[in-house]
Amino acid sequence: MQSFDTSLELAIQPIGVFRDMSKSILDPVRLEDIEFSNDEIARYSRHLIMPEVTLEGQKKLKAAKVLCIGTGGLGSPIALYLAAAGVGTLGLIDFDIVDYSNLQRQVLHGTKDVGRKKLNSARDRIKDVNPNVHVVLHDAMFRSDNATEIVSEYDIVIDGTDNFPTRYLSNDVCVFLSKPNIYGSIFRFEGQCTVFAPSLGGPCYRCLYPEPPPPGMVPSCAEGGVLGVLPGVIGVMQAIETVKLIVGIGDPLVGRLIHFDALKMKFREFRVRRDPSCPICGEHPSITELIDYEQFCGIPQAQAAEEAEPPVPEISVEELKAKRERGDNFVLLDVREPYEYDIARIQGSRLIPLGELASRMSELDTAEEIVIHCKSGVRSAKALRQLQKAGFAKLFNVEGGITAWADRVDSNVPKY
Ligand SMILES: [Zn+2]
């Protein structure tokens, strides 16, 4: 999310010292029935010979139940490494289908898996990495009505989805159930990681951000790029913190936040403090039940901010095709960025990026009919409103944008 980089730095301060917590979060009773086959002994030998881990630590890993929300960019390295390390029960939540645009970073899934459910693809890959792992699939969207029931089965929750509704929901349910919540976030070339755990003396997410930003302030998840390798770095950090909490070694990332800048290749560490007036983990909490923030990106109703205004005149891609075939006289205006235009375009369209529209309106004629498109229809609706305010009247927004055009009219146009 765009908001984390600069605004978070105001809320947190560079760190001097950090806590030591050399105790596993698991009850020792849980280890009593744990045994290993000779194959497992061989598999985990590089753990067993480390005095910090030993057979005892490996038993803790096998006894542990970890929930990973999402099997995408962050969830991929998290699930792969935790499975390889020998976490006994790995729960996965996802409802998505593998798409070509996932493969640049979601290394759980392969080309052969495109079109499959991510959960099934993830299960097959994890079982190949380590057949001893008990994989539990939760084929659902993580919501307030299932979060408590799902999370109560696990020792640790890892948020691998990186969107606002899940971030707040996993935070809140973990506060209520006293479970550590391993947080990771990525945007473009930067990422961050911390462990939210009021039960271990640290802050929760709402100690930093009590409420989500207004929906209109959140950039669309689908349109925010991310460097393909970046989730590997952040997801692996989340997996390491998980292993440390289970085995009970080292200094956990409780009360500390690591920010990573891939372009500068810099890690910075910040102290994050518990807020006594936090609305959920503070002394007088005002939030006492789970909330669904559905209006954010990645979830229907994403254009909540737009919905306050009257709807814009729209045409479908089929109608656009028919207009072109009839030879209607109109301008097809593409308001995407030039680098998107280079990837895919509709023949005959004229490119004026949304950000340049205000200064380049003189290139357009109010007498002409203008049909506007972008990638999915959101930016072009904004462009249409801008033009309406400037006195243009004959305007149409292409519903679904060039993505719908590629899906339903011209399969030669690549999707991105
Ligand atoms: Zn809090």
Side-chain angles (χ1 to χ4, degrees):
M1 291 298 108
Q2 209 154 27
S3 59
F4 74 72
D5 184 27
T6 49
S7 56
L8 192 57
E9 286 179 30
L10 301 174
I12 54 191
Q13 298 159 14
I15 181 146
V17 292
F18 46 82
R19 308 171 62 246
D20 178 29
M21 193 205 65
S22 51
K23 192 167 170 293
S24 169
I25 56 161
L26 293 195
D27 185 337
V29 174
R30 299 263 299 275
L31 309 185
E32 282 173 6
D33 299 328
I34 303 290
E35 290 178 351
F36 293 105
S37 67
N38 286 351
D39 283 352
E40 286 175 285
I41 298 288
R43 174 185 287 272
Y44 303 127
S45 64
R46 295 301 184 278
H47 272 164
L48 305 182
I49 59 176
M50 279 202 290
E52 295 84 356
V53 184
T54 70
L55 196 64
E56 175 91 358
Q58 197 65 47
K59 280 186 179 179
K60 292 174 187 167
L61 287 169
K62 189 169 181 177
K65 298 179 174 181
V66 176
L67 177 67
C68 183
I69 307 173
T71 58
L74 292 170
S76 287
I78 291 167
L80 285 171
Y81 272 106
L82 291 182
V87 164
T89 301
L90 198 50
L92 305 172
I93 305 183
D94 214 314
F95 60 92
D96 209 359
I97 304 287
V98 181
D99 183 86
Y100 278 107
S101 66
N102 302 146
L103 303 179
Q104 161 254 25
R105 65 200 177 285
Q106 303 186 10
V107 294
L108 256 179
H109 316 292
T111 308
K112 68 176 180 352
D113 299 313
V114 169
R116 294 180 78 197
K117 277 191 161 289
K118 285 188 178 178
L119 277 187
N120 295 340
S121 162
R123 177 202 55 213
D124 293 353
R125 182 80 183 94
I126 289 167
K127 282 290 184 187
D128 188 32
V129 169
N130 188 349
N132 303 296
V133 177
H134 176 45
V135 182
V136 181
L137 305 182
H138 301 278
D139 186 2
M141 186 184 280
F142 192 54
R143 293 176 52 90
S144 64
D145 55 10
N146 61 17
T148 304
E149 191 185 342
I150 293 173
V151 168
S152 60
E153 295 294 312
Y154 296 90
D155 302 305
I156 297 182
V157 173
I158 312 177
D159 182 2
T161 59
D162 197 17
N163 65 60
F164 275 102
T166 309
R167 192 174 297 169
Y168 279 93
L169 186 58
S170 71
N171 178 75
D172 294 357
V173 72
C174 286
V175 170
F176 290 147
L177 298 175
S178 297
K179 315 258 185 192
N181 177 33
I182 319 282
Y183 162 89
S185 174
I186 47 174
F187 185 72
R188 293 171 52 77
F189 299 98
E190 295 171 65
Q192 52 188 16
C193 177
T194 188
V195 176
F196 290 120
S199 59
L200 301 175
C204 82
Y205 186 67
R206 287 190 192 267
C207 290
L208 303 184
Y209 297 110
E211 296 292 336
M217 301 294 289
V218 181
S220 161
C221 297
E223 284 167 15
V226 61
L227 185 70
V229 183
L230 180 70
V233 176
I234 303 299
V236 164
M237 284 165 55
Q238 292 176 278
I240 288 177
E241 286 307 302
T242 306
V243 168
K244 282 164 57 188
L245 287 175
I246 294 167
V247 178
I249 49 173
D251 307 311
L253 210 48
V254 175
R256 295 184 293 143
L257 181 145
I258 303 291
H259 176 271
F260 173 59
D261 183 330
L263 287 183
K264 294 189 180 131
M265 195 45 80
K266 269 191 179 159
F267 288 89
R268 285 188 298 165
E269 181 172 317
F270 299 91
R271 167 175 289 184
V272 284
R273 290 195 181 84
R274 189 136 178 231
D275 179 3
S277 61
C278 172
I280 189 160
C281 79
E283 285 154 14
H284 304 286
S286 56
I287 296 169
T288 54
E289 57 185 31
L290 300 176
I291 303 165
D292 286 314
Y293 294 106
E294 289 181 13
Q295 66 270 45
F296 288 107
C297 56
I299 290 187
Q301 302 163 33
Q303 284 96 51
E306 260 81 15
E307 281 167 11
E309 297 178 74
V312 298
E314 289 195 323
I315 66 168
S316 68
V317 290
E318 287 83 4
E319 288 171 83
L320 174 58
K321 178 173 182 263
K323 279 174 79 65
R324 286 160 64 95
E325 285 171 355
R326 283 198 304 267
D328 287 7
N329 188 19
F330 67 99
V331 173
L332 180 58
L333 177 66
D334 182 345
V335 295
R336 297 173 304 148
E337 299 299 317
Y339 54 83
E340 297 177 272
Y341 191 77
D342 286 343
I343 300 166
R345 69 187 74 168
I346 300 176
Q347 277 306 323
S349 61
R350 192 191 299 178
L351 180 70
I352 302 181
L354 180 60
E356 297 174 17
L357 187 59
S359 60
R360 293 177 58 184
M361 262 181 211
S362 59
E363 295 174 31
L364 299 166
D365 184 348
T366 51
E368 276 184 308
E369 181 177 292
I370 304 174
V371 176
I372 315 167
H373 86 84
C374 63
K375 186 184 179 195
S376 64
V378 176
R379 280 174 289 172
S380 49
K382 285 181 184 161
L384 190 147
R385 289 189 199 288
Q386 268 191 38
L387 290 169
Q388 271 178 337
K389 283 175 190 146
F392 289 81
K394 292 191 275 181
L395 303 168
F396 291 97
N397 185 33
V398 179
E399 187 191 351
I402 195 170
T403 304
W405 181 265
D407 276 335
R408 286 153 37 197
V409 174
D410 185 357
S411 59
N412 291 319
V413 172
K415 288 202 291 179
Y416 61 97

